[in-house]
Amino acid sequence: MSVVEFGGTGQGVLLLHGLMSRATAWWPVAQWLRPFGRVVGFDQRGHGRNPRRGPFRTEDFVADAAAAIEDLDLGPAVVIGHSMGGLHAWCLAATRPDLVRAIVVEDFAPDNRGRTIDEWKWLFDAWPVPFESLGHVRSYFGAAIFCDYFEEREDGWHLIAAMDDLYEIAGHWGTRAYWDFIDAVACPSLVIEAGRGGQLPGQMAEAARRSGGRYLYVEEAGHVVHDSAPWVYRGAVEAFLSTSISPV
């Protein structure tokens, strides 16, 4: 696995990225998280520089996160996840409570049964691949954070993750619900929902209620709340961690 040590000491803080992203995309967030402990991210299977691809069941990703906490001696860790990473944080807290002290889940609905990749696959198919430069990537997506997702090849800039892998991962979410995992979460939790993130309405608030967690709805934010509304996100996470764990 491709592990990124962002700095800090003491309490482990594990960062789990979203679909098509990678660990390095957490760099701006990691800078202000360091007072809360040793901040570490890793490329999840099928992403970044992690050579491991399938299988892509949620349980496989969760096992990888548990192994990272154990192998890097981070536990019990604060686990912070965006989108896909948020789902894995929920499931890890439910199945390995010994490894998780608190979780932050950013913009992921726990029940997407019936939804398929056809709802958004056309967006990916419309990309002008290969992109001509990182400036082209930034201009097309309207955010610099997407530059971390791409790599330069001989003919231009390409997404590091394989599209077929991403379709398989996301397709899995449409076949199941995760409420049993939500109900089993016992550690402190913060659920942050983006007003413009496109998640099914009401689910994230219900997940917070069922797990006894805190809930924040950021009306103006896009799916990557920590990038589109960084100060709101930072304030919420810092306040949550300050009352859930002790800064080092």
Side-chain angles (χ1 to χ4, degrees):
M1 293 183 295
S2 179
V3 175
V4 181
E5 292 273 3
F6 288 108
T9 59
Q11 162 72 55
V13 180
L14 182 67
L15 304 178
L16 300 177
H17 63 75
L19 190 72
M20 88 178 188
S21 185
R22 61 184 304 199
T24 55
W26 281 112
W27 186 87
V29 173
Q31 304 313 296
W32 52 261
L33 278 174
R34 284 183 292 189
F36 292 95
R38 176 188 167 197
V39 185
V40 179
F42 76 94
D43 293 340
Q44 299 186 75
R45 60 174 63 196
H47 292 77
R49 300 307 176 195
N50 189 334
R52 182 177 296 168
R53 297 190 59 188
F56 292 124
R57 300 172 306 162
T58 300
E59 285 77 6
D60 300 310
F61 286 99
V62 172
D64 290 344
I69 292 174
E70 293 177 323
D71 293 347
L72 298 170
D73 195 25
L74 298 173
V78 173
V79 182
I80 299 176
H82 168 248
S83 192
M84 174 184 78
L87 169 65
H88 299 158
W90 260 326
C91 296
L92 179 63
T95 57
R96 291 297 307 273
D98 57 309
L99 297 180
V100 182
R101 178 167 294 183
I103 60 173
V104 176
V105 175
E106 178 188 350
D107 213 45
F108 190 91
D111 187 351
N112 283 290
R113 286 176 295 179
R115 303 188 82 176
T116 71
I117 62 171
D118 293 334
E119 296 180 29
W120 49 267
K121 183 177 180 293
W122 63 273
L123 288 170
F124 288 74
D125 292 340
W127 289 0
V129 178
F131 288 87
E132 298 173 16
S133 67
L134 285 180
H136 188 194
V137 172
R138 186 182 303 109
S139 174
Y140 185 83
F141 292 102
I145 192 172
F146 285 89
C147 294
D148 272 300
Y149 307 175
F150 286 78
E151 66 180 357
E152 187 175 21
R153 300 176 189 167
E154 186 173 340
D155 61 341
W157 291 82
H158 293 259
L159 189 69
I160 299 173
M163 296 305 303
D164 287 343
D165 291 348
L166 302 185
Y167 295 150
E168 182 177 345
I169 294 167
H172 178 70
W173 301 333
T175 66
R176 61 190 297 190
Y178 294 91
W179 293 114
D180 288 347
F181 292 93
I182 305 300
D183 292 339
V185 172
C187 67
S189 61
L190 170 64
V191 178
I192 301 175
E193 180 173 4
R196 297 188 287 111
Q199 300 297 332
L200 293 172
Q203 287 199 16
M204 297 189 71
E206 175 64 9
R209 186 192 68 79
R210 290 170 66 155
S211 60
R214 303 183 192 181
Y215 170 73
L216 175 65
Y217 181 79
V218 187
E219 183 175 4
E220 71 276 17
H223 179 53
V224 188
V225 183
H226 63 266
D227 181 69
S228 59
W231 291 106
V232 177
Y233 178 88
R234 176 176 178 175
V237 173
E238 286 185 329
F240 170 69
L241 295 181
S242 295
T243 56
S244 300
I245 65 170
S246 299
V248 295

